[in-house]
Amino acid sequence: VDQVVAVAAGRAMWRRVCVAPQAGAVQWRRWCAVGGYEEGVANRIREALQAAHCSVVDRSGGCGANYAISVEAEGFKGKTHLQRQRMVQAVIRDEIAKWHAVTIQTKVPEAKTAP
């Protein structure tokens, strides 16, 4: 079963991902021009939350069904764990709807002390 296939459609790149391999279900997702799908999602989060750090990792072996997200942003200061999760989810709600699972870790950047 082809799990990831790149297809050129004009200037855009698309990939076919296995959503439910046992049922043969596939889904087409647009590849971002630079850095792939994961980097595009990370950039959306970085921009929306003004994050100092953000990483998105496909943990499903390239199938695109399970992602781990780590975000570090000042905007999380004073927020509960649940509020932080919801802030991230709100930014990528449309992407999360396509996934089977997502793990989101959030933290506030450590304060830098003067020497």
Side-chain angles (χ1 to χ4, degrees), residues 8-37:
R11 298 186 70 192
M13 292 295 289
W14 296 81
R15 72 178 182 173
R16 185 176 70 179
V17 294
C18 242
V19 187
Q22 65 280 12
V26 295
Q27 188 176 74
W28 288 95
R29 293 194 183 149
R30 187 177 180 143
W31 249 337
C32 298
V34 179
Y37 177 76

PDB file of all heavy atoms in Angstrom, residues 8-37:
ATOM      1  N   ALA A   8       2.444  16.086  -8.634  1.00  0.00           N
ATOM      2  CA  ALA A   8       2.500  17.491  -9.045  1.00  0.00           C
ATOM      3  C   ALA A   8       1.208  17.834  -9.767  1.00  0.00           C
ATOM      4  O   ALA A   8       0.809  17.164 -10.697  1.00  0.00           O
ATOM      5  CB  ALA A   8       3.699  17.726  -9.959  1.00  0.00           C
ATOM      6  N   ALA A   9       0.544  18.852  -9.304  1.00  0.00           N
ATOM      7  CA  ALA A   9      -0.689  19.329  -9.942  1.00  0.00           C
ATOM      8  C   ALA A   9      -0.477  20.807 -10.233  1.00  0.00           C
ATOM      9  O   ALA A   9      -0.710  21.655  -9.390  1.00  0.00           O
ATOM     10  CB  ALA A   9      -1.882  19.122  -9.032  1.00  0.00           C
ATOM     11  N   GLY A  10       0.005  21.099 -11.425  1.00  0.00           N
ATOM     12  CA  GLY A  10       0.364  22.477 -11.714  1.00  0.00           C
ATOM     13  C   GLY A  10       1.619  22.803 -10.921  1.00  0.00           C
ATOM     14  O   GLY A  10       2.612  22.123 -11.021  1.00  0.00           O
ATOM     15  N   ARG A  11       1.558  23.838 -10.097  1.00  0.00           N
ATOM     16  CA  ARG A  11       2.700  24.218  -9.269  1.00  0.00           C
ATOM     17  C   ARG A  11       2.569  23.686  -7.847  1.00  0.00           C
ATOM     18  O   ARG A  11       3.509  23.724  -7.094  1.00  0.00           O
ATOM     19  CB  ARG A  11       2.839  25.733  -9.249  1.00  0.00           C
ATOM     20  CG  ARG A  11       3.094  26.293 -10.639  1.00  0.00           C
ATOM     21  CD  ARG A  11       3.383  27.741 -10.607  1.00  0.00           C
ATOM     22  NE  ARG A  11       4.701  27.914 -10.001  1.00  0.00           N
ATOM     23  CZ  ARG A  11       5.176  29.068  -9.609  1.00  0.00           C
ATOM     24  NH1 ARG A  11       4.459  30.143  -9.713  1.00  0.00           N
ATOM     25  NH2 ARG A  11       6.372  29.156  -9.073  1.00  0.00           N
ATOM     26  N   ALA A  12       1.400  23.232  -7.468  1.00  0.00           N
ATOM     27  CA  ALA A  12       1.194  22.732  -6.103  1.00  0.00           C
ATOM     28  C   ALA A  12       1.602  21.271  -6.004  1.00  0.00           C
ATOM     29  O   ALA A  12       1.492  20.522  -6.958  1.00  0.00           O
ATOM     30  CB  ALA A  12      -0.274  22.887  -5.712  1.00  0.00           C
ATOM     31  N   MET A  13       2.067  20.894  -4.838  1.00  0.00           N
ATOM     32  CA  MET A  13       2.400  19.498  -4.581  1.00  0.00           C
ATOM     33  C   MET A  13       1.364  18.946  -3.620  1.00  0.00           C
ATOM     34  O   MET A  13       0.998  19.588  -2.650  1.00  0.00           O
ATOM     35  CB  MET A  13       3.788  19.375  -3.956  1.00  0.00           C
ATOM     36  CG  MET A  13       4.908  19.748  -4.903  1.00  0.00           C
ATOM     37  SD  MET A  13       5.058  18.635  -6.301  1.00  0.00           S
ATOM     38  CE  MET A  13       5.685  17.177  -5.507  1.00  0.00           C
ATOM     39  N   TRP A  14       0.903  17.747  -3.896  1.00  0.00           N
ATOM     40  CA  TRP A  14      -0.092  17.095  -3.055  1.00  0.00           C
ATOM     41  C   TRP A  14       0.455  15.758  -2.626  1.00  0.00           C
ATOM     42  O   TRP A  14       1.280  15.164  -3.311  1.00  0.00           O
ATOM     43  CB  TRP A  14      -1.397  16.895  -3.827  1.00  0.00           C
ATOM     44  CG  TRP A  14      -2.031  18.179  -4.215  1.00  0.00           C
ATOM     45  CD1 TRP A  14      -1.711  18.965  -5.286  1.00  0.00           C
ATOM     46  CD2 TRP A  14      -3.079  18.857  -3.538  1.00  0.00           C
ATOM     47  NE1 TRP A  14      -2.489  20.089  -5.313  1.00  0.00           N
ATOM     48  CE2 TRP A  14      -3.348  20.044  -4.258  1.00  0.00           C
ATOM     49  CE3 TRP A  14      -3.819  18.589  -2.395  1.00  0.00           C
ATOM     50  CZ2 TRP A  14      -4.324  20.938  -3.851  1.00  0.00           C
ATOM     51  CZ3 TRP A  14      -4.794  19.485  -2.010  1.00  0.00           C
ATOM     52  CH2 TRP A  14      -5.032  20.650  -2.732  1.00  0.00           C
ATOM     53  N   ARG A  15       0.007  15.260  -1.495  1.00  0.00           N
ATOM     54  CA  ARG A  15       0.405  13.916  -1.095  1.00  0.00           C
ATOM     55  C   ARG A  15      -0.835  13.132  -0.717  1.00  0.00           C
ATOM     56  O   ARG A  15      -1.785  13.664  -0.159  1.00  0.00           O
ATOM     57  CB  ARG A  15       1.416  13.936   0.038  1.00  0.00           C
ATOM     58  CG  ARG A  15       0.855  14.345   1.361  1.00  0.00           C
ATOM     59  CD  ARG A  15       1.930  14.278   2.431  1.00  0.00           C
ATOM     60  NE  ARG A  15       1.347  14.622   3.710  1.00  0.00           N
ATOM     61  CZ  ARG A  15       1.966  14.539   4.838  1.00  0.00           C
ATOM     62  NH1 ARG A  15       3.198  14.109   4.872  1.00  0.00           N
ATOM     63  NH2 ARG A  15       1.376  14.870   5.964  1.00  0.00           N
ATOM     64  N   ARG A  16      -0.798  11.869  -1.061  1.00  0.00           N
ATOM     65  CA  ARG A  16      -1.890  10.969  -0.709  1.00  0.00           C
ATOM     66  C   ARG A  16      -1.483  10.272   0.579  1.00  0.00           C
ATOM     67  O   ARG A  16      -0.421   9.668   0.645  1.00  0.00           O
ATOM     68  CB  ARG A  16      -2.112   9.957  -1.815  1.00  0.00           C
ATOM     69  CG  ARG A  16      -3.315   9.070  -1.557  1.00  0.00           C
ATOM     70  CD  ARG A  16      -3.552   8.165  -2.709  1.00  0.00           C
ATOM     71  NE  ARG A  16      -2.486   7.167  -2.759  1.00  0.00           N
ATOM     72  CZ  ARG A  16      -2.421   6.219  -3.653  1.00  0.00           C
ATOM     73  NH1 ARG A  16      -3.316   6.135  -4.599  1.00  0.00           N
ATOM     74  NH2 ARG A  16      -1.439   5.351  -3.641  1.00  0.00           N
ATOM     75  N   VAL A  17      -2.309  10.366   1.589  1.00  0.00           N
ATOM     76  CA  VAL A  17      -1.981   9.732   2.861  1.00  0.00           C
ATOM     77  C   VAL A  17      -3.030   8.702   3.215  1.00  0.00           C
ATOM     78  O   VAL A  17      -4.202   8.848   2.892  1.00  0.00           O
ATOM     79  CB  VAL A  17      -1.844  10.759   4.015  1.00  0.00           C
ATOM     80  CG1 VAL A  17      -0.671  11.673   3.789  1.00  0.00           C
ATOM     81  CG2 VAL A  17      -3.104  11.550   4.196  1.00  0.00           C
ATOM     82  N   CYS A  18      -2.588   7.661   3.847  1.00  0.00           N
ATOM     83  CA  CYS A  18      -3.437   6.581   4.320  1.00  0.00           C
ATOM     84  C   CYS A  18      -4.187   7.049   5.556  1.00  0.00           C
ATOM     85  O   CYS A  18      -3.561   7.357   6.557  1.00  0.00           O
ATOM     86  CB  CYS A  18      -2.544   5.440   4.737  1.00  0.00           C
ATOM     87  SG  CYS A  18      -2.758   3.981   3.835  1.00  0.00           S
ATOM     88  N   VAL A  19      -5.489   7.112   5.520  1.00  0.00           N
ATOM     89  CA  VAL A  19      -6.269   7.519   6.682  1.00  0.00           C
ATOM     90  C   VAL A  19      -6.709   6.280   7.451  1.00  0.00           C
ATOM     91  O   VAL A  19      -6.631   6.232   8.667  1.00  0.00           O
ATOM     92  CB  VAL A  19      -7.492   8.360   6.267  1.00  0.00           C
ATOM     93  CG1 VAL A  19      -8.180   8.919   7.486  1.00  0.00           C
ATOM     94  CG2 VAL A  19      -7.077   9.483   5.339  1.00  0.00           C
ATOM     95  N   ALA A  20      -7.138   5.279   6.751  1.00  0.00           N
ATOM     96  CA  ALA A  20      -7.532   4.003   7.357  1.00  0.00           C
ATOM     97  C   ALA A  20      -7.017   2.894   6.442  1.00  0.00           C
ATOM     98  O   ALA A  20      -7.732   2.434   5.559  1.00  0.00           O
ATOM     99  CB  ALA A  20      -9.045   3.933   7.508  1.00  0.00           C
ATOM    100  N   PRO A  21      -5.755   2.480   6.630  1.00  0.00           N
ATOM    101  CA  PRO A  21      -5.138   1.521   5.706  1.00  0.00           C
ATOM    102  C   PRO A  21      -5.930   0.236   5.529  1.00  0.00           C
ATOM    103  O   PRO A  21      -6.011  -0.286   4.431  1.00  0.00           O
ATOM    104  CB  PRO A  21      -3.778   1.230   6.337  1.00  0.00           C
ATOM    105  CG  PRO A  21      -3.600   2.175   7.455  1.00  0.00           C
ATOM    106  CD  PRO A  21      -4.901   2.839   7.727  1.00  0.00           C
ATOM    107  N   GLN A  22      -6.528  -0.258   6.598  1.00  0.00           N
ATOM    108  CA  GLN A  22      -7.275  -1.511   6.500  1.00  0.00           C
ATOM    109  C   GLN A  22      -8.503  -1.378   5.596  1.00  0.00           C
ATOM    110  O   GLN A  22      -8.949  -2.333   5.001  1.00  0.00           O
ATOM    111  CB  GLN A  22      -7.673  -2.034   7.899  1.00  0.00           C
ATOM    112  CG  GLN A  22      -8.632  -1.176   8.673  1.00  0.00           C
ATOM    113  CD  GLN A  22      -7.987   0.025   9.378  1.00  0.00           C
ATOM    114  OE1 GLN A  22      -6.842   0.391   9.144  1.00  0.00           O
ATOM    115  NE2 GLN A  22      -8.748   0.657  10.243  1.00  0.00           N
ATOM    116  N   ALA A  23      -9.052  -0.185   5.495  1.00  0.00           N
ATOM    117  CA  ALA A  23     -10.229   0.033   4.662  1.00  0.00           C
ATOM    118  C   ALA A  23      -9.857   0.599   3.293  1.00  0.00           C
ATOM    119  O   ALA A  23     -10.719   0.802   2.453  1.00  0.00           O
ATOM    120  CB  ALA A  23     -11.201   0.982   5.369  1.00  0.00           C
ATOM    121  N   GLY A  24      -8.580   0.886   3.092  1.00  0.00           N
ATOM    122  CA  GLY A  24      -8.129   1.452   1.824  1.00  0.00           C
ATOM    123  C   GLY A  24      -8.500   2.917   1.648  1.00  0.00           C
ATOM    124  O   GLY A  24      -8.459   3.447   0.548  1.00  0.00           O
ATOM    125  N   ALA A  25      -8.859   3.586   2.740  1.00  0.00           N
ATOM    126  CA  ALA A  25      -9.257   4.995   2.664  1.00  0.00           C
ATOM    127  C   ALA A  25      -8.029   5.882   2.538  1.00  0.00           C
ATOM    128  O   ALA A  25      -7.059   5.719   3.256  1.00  0.00           O
ATOM    129  CB  ALA A  25     -10.061   5.384   3.906  1.00  0.00           C
ATOM    130  N   VAL A  26      -8.072   6.801   1.608  1.00  0.00           N
ATOM    131  CA  VAL A  26      -6.975   7.745   1.428  1.00  0.00           C
ATOM    132  C   VAL A  26      -7.516   9.163   1.428  1.00  0.00           C
ATOM    133  O   VAL A  26      -8.707   9.392   1.265  1.00  0.00           O
ATOM    134  CB  VAL A  26      -6.188   7.496   0.119  1.00  0.00           C
ATOM    135  CG1 VAL A  26      -5.489   6.154   0.159  1.00  0.00           C
ATOM    136  CG2 VAL A  26      -7.079   7.613  -1.086  1.00  0.00           C
ATOM    137  N   GLN A  27      -6.609  10.100   1.602  1.00  0.00           N
ATOM    138  CA  GLN A  27      -6.982  11.502   1.641  1.00  0.00           C
ATOM    139  C   GLN A  27      -5.862  12.290   0.981  1.00  0.00           C
ATOM    140  O   GLN A  27      -4.698  11.954   1.131  1.00  0.00           O
ATOM    141  CB  GLN A  27      -7.126  11.901   3.118  1.00  0.00           C
ATOM    142  CG  GLN A  27      -7.686  13.269   3.352  1.00  0.00           C
ATOM    143  CD  GLN A  27      -7.862  13.485   4.846  1.00  0.00           C
ATOM    144  OE1 GLN A  27      -6.884  13.679   5.547  1.00  0.00           O
ATOM    145  NE2 GLN A  27      -9.091  13.432   5.312  1.00  0.00           N
ATOM    146  N   TRP A  28      -6.205  13.328   0.252  1.00  0.00           N
ATOM    147  CA  TRP A  28      -5.203  14.172  -0.384  1.00  0.00           C
ATOM    148  C   TRP A  28      -4.957  15.385   0.489  1.00  0.00           C
ATOM    149  O   TRP A  28      -5.892  16.024   0.945  1.00  0.00           O
ATOM    150  CB  TRP A  28      -5.669  14.625  -1.761  1.00  0.00           C
ATOM    151  CG  TRP A  28      -5.638  13.508  -2.746  1.00  0.00           C
ATOM    152  CD1 TRP A  28      -6.677  12.703  -3.078  1.00  0.00           C
ATOM    153  CD2 TRP A  28      -4.525  13.053  -3.491  1.00  0.00           C
ATOM    154  NE1 TRP A  28      -6.274  11.759  -3.995  1.00  0.00           N
ATOM    155  CE2 TRP A  28      -4.956  11.966  -4.271  1.00  0.00           C
ATOM    156  CE3 TRP A  28      -3.198  13.457  -3.588  1.00  0.00           C
ATOM    157  CZ2 TRP A  28      -4.102  11.284  -5.125  1.00  0.00           C
ATOM    158  CZ3 TRP A  28      -2.351  12.766  -4.450  1.00  0.00           C
ATOM    159  CH2 TRP A  28      -2.808  11.692  -5.202  1.00  0.00           C
ATOM    160  N   ARG A  29      -3.692  15.703   0.732  1.00  0.00           N
ATOM    161  CA  ARG A  29      -3.312  16.881   1.511  1.00  0.00           C
ATOM    162  C   ARG A  29      -2.287  17.661   0.726  1.00  0.00           C
ATOM    163  O   ARG A  29      -1.386  17.098   0.124  1.00  0.00           O
ATOM    164  CB  ARG A  29      -2.714  16.483   2.854  1.00  0.00           C
ATOM    165  CG  ARG A  29      -3.725  15.842   3.757  1.00  0.00           C
ATOM    166  CD  ARG A  29      -3.206  15.768   5.161  1.00  0.00           C
ATOM    167  NE  ARG A  29      -4.190  15.079   5.978  1.00  0.00           N
ATOM    168  CZ  ARG A  29      -3.901  14.338   7.019  1.00  0.00           C
ATOM    169  NH1 ARG A  29      -2.665  14.218   7.401  1.00  0.00           N
ATOM    170  NH2 ARG A  29      -4.848  13.748   7.696  1.00  0.00           N
ATOM    171  N   ARG A  30      -2.402  18.972   0.799  1.00  0.00           N
ATOM    172  CA  ARG A  30      -1.459  19.827   0.100  1.00  0.00           C
ATOM    173  C   ARG A  30      -0.150  19.884   0.868  1.00  0.00           C
ATOM    174  O   ARG A  30      -0.133  20.045   2.077  1.00  0.00           O
ATOM    175  CB  ARG A  30      -2.021  21.235  -0.033  1.00  0.00           C
ATOM    176  CG  ARG A  30      -1.154  22.110  -0.901  1.00  0.00           C
ATOM    177  CD  ARG A  30      -1.776  23.470  -1.065  1.00  0.00           C
ATOM    178  NE  ARG A  30      -0.903  24.256  -1.891  1.00  0.00           N
ATOM    179  CZ  ARG A  30      -1.310  25.123  -2.775  1.00  0.00           C
ATOM    180  NH1 ARG A  30      -2.588  25.349  -2.934  1.00  0.00           N
ATOM    181  NH2 ARG A  30      -0.464  25.797  -3.497  1.00  0.00           N
ATOM    182  N   TRP A  31       0.944  19.743   0.129  1.00  0.00           N
ATOM    183  CA  TRP A  31       2.265  19.893   0.714  1.00  0.00           C
ATOM    184  C   TRP A  31       2.615  21.359   0.708  1.00  0.00           C
ATOM    185  O   TRP A  31       2.370  22.062  -0.266  1.00  0.00           O
ATOM    186  CB  TRP A  31       3.304  19.183  -0.149  1.00  0.00           C
ATOM    187  CG  TRP A  31       3.884  17.981   0.479  1.00  0.00           C
ATOM    188  CD1 TRP A  31       3.951  17.684   1.793  1.00  0.00           C
ATOM    189  CD2 TRP A  31       4.503  16.898  -0.202  1.00  0.00           C
ATOM    190  NE1 TRP A  31       4.558  16.493   1.996  1.00  0.00           N
ATOM    191  CE2 TRP A  31       4.912  15.984   0.773  1.00  0.00           C
ATOM    192  CE3 TRP A  31       4.748  16.614  -1.525  1.00  0.00           C
ATOM    193  CZ2 TRP A  31       5.568  14.816   0.454  1.00  0.00           C
ATOM    194  CZ3 TRP A  31       5.392  15.449  -1.841  1.00  0.00           C
ATOM    195  CH2 TRP A  31       5.789  14.559  -0.865  1.00  0.00           C
ATOM    196  N   CYS A  32       3.190  21.845   1.755  1.00  0.00           N
ATOM    197  CA  CYS A  32       3.640  23.227   1.793  1.00  0.00           C
ATOM    198  C   CYS A  32       4.878  23.346   0.908  1.00  0.00           C
ATOM    199  O   CYS A  32       5.637  22.403   0.770  1.00  0.00           O
ATOM    200  CB  CYS A  32       3.967  23.642   3.222  1.00  0.00           C
ATOM    201  SG  CYS A  32       2.515  23.549   4.271  1.00  0.00           S
ATOM    202  N   ALA A  33       5.074  24.518   0.328  1.00  0.00           N
ATOM    203  CA  ALA A  33       6.164  24.711  -0.613  1.00  0.00           C
ATOM    204  C   ALA A  33       7.528  24.447   0.015  1.00  0.00           C
ATOM    205  O   ALA A  33       8.409  23.900  -0.612  1.00  0.00           O
ATOM    206  CB  ALA A  33       6.112  26.121  -1.183  1.00  0.00           C
ATOM    207  N   VAL A  34       7.728  24.849   1.263  1.00  0.00           N
ATOM    208  CA  VAL A  34       9.011  24.681   1.908  1.00  0.00           C
ATOM    209  C   VAL A  34       8.833  23.885   3.185  1.00  0.00           C
ATOM    210  O   VAL A  34       8.039  24.249   4.043  1.00  0.00           O
ATOM    211  CB  VAL A  34       9.633  26.056   2.246  1.00  0.00           C
ATOM    212  CG1 VAL A  34      10.961  25.871   2.948  1.00  0.00           C
ATOM    213  CG2 VAL A  34       9.791  26.890   0.994  1.00  0.00           C
ATOM    214  N   GLY A  35       9.550  22.767   3.325  1.00  0.00           N
ATOM    215  CA  GLY A  35       9.579  22.036   4.575  1.00  0.00           C
ATOM    216  C   GLY A  35       8.489  21.025   4.800  1.00  0.00           C
ATOM    217  O   GLY A  35       8.437  20.412   5.847  1.00  0.00           O
ATOM    218  N   GLY A  36       7.582  20.832   3.883  1.00  0.00           N
ATOM    219  CA  GLY A  36       6.571  19.809   4.024  1.00  0.00           C
ATOM    220  C   GLY A  36       5.365  20.227   4.850  1.00  0.00           C
ATOM    221  O   GLY A  36       5.254  21.345   5.346  1.00  0.00           O
ATOM    222  N   TYR A  37       4.479  19.294   4.972  1.00  0.00           N
ATOM    223  CA  TYR A  37       3.198  19.512   5.647  1.00  0.00           C
ATOM    224  C   TYR A  37       3.388  19.910   7.106  1.00  0.00           C
ATOM    225  O   TYR A  37       2.783  20.858   7.597  1.00  0.00           O
ATOM    226  CB  TYR A  37       2.369  18.236   5.536  1.00  0.00           C
ATOM    227  CG  TYR A  37       1.046  18.283   6.249  1.00  0.00           C
ATOM    228  CD1 TYR A  37      -0.023  18.991   5.719  1.00  0.00           C
ATOM    229  CD2 TYR A  37       0.871  17.626   7.462  1.00  0.00           C
ATOM    230  CE1 TYR A  37      -1.245  19.039   6.369  1.00  0.00           C
ATOM    231  CE2 TYR A  37      -0.347  17.657   8.122  1.00  0.00           C
ATOM    232  CZ  TYR A  37      -1.397  18.372   7.570  1.00  0.00           C
ATOM    233  OH  TYR A  37      -2.607  18.412   8.224  1.00  0.00           O
TER     234      TYR A  37
END
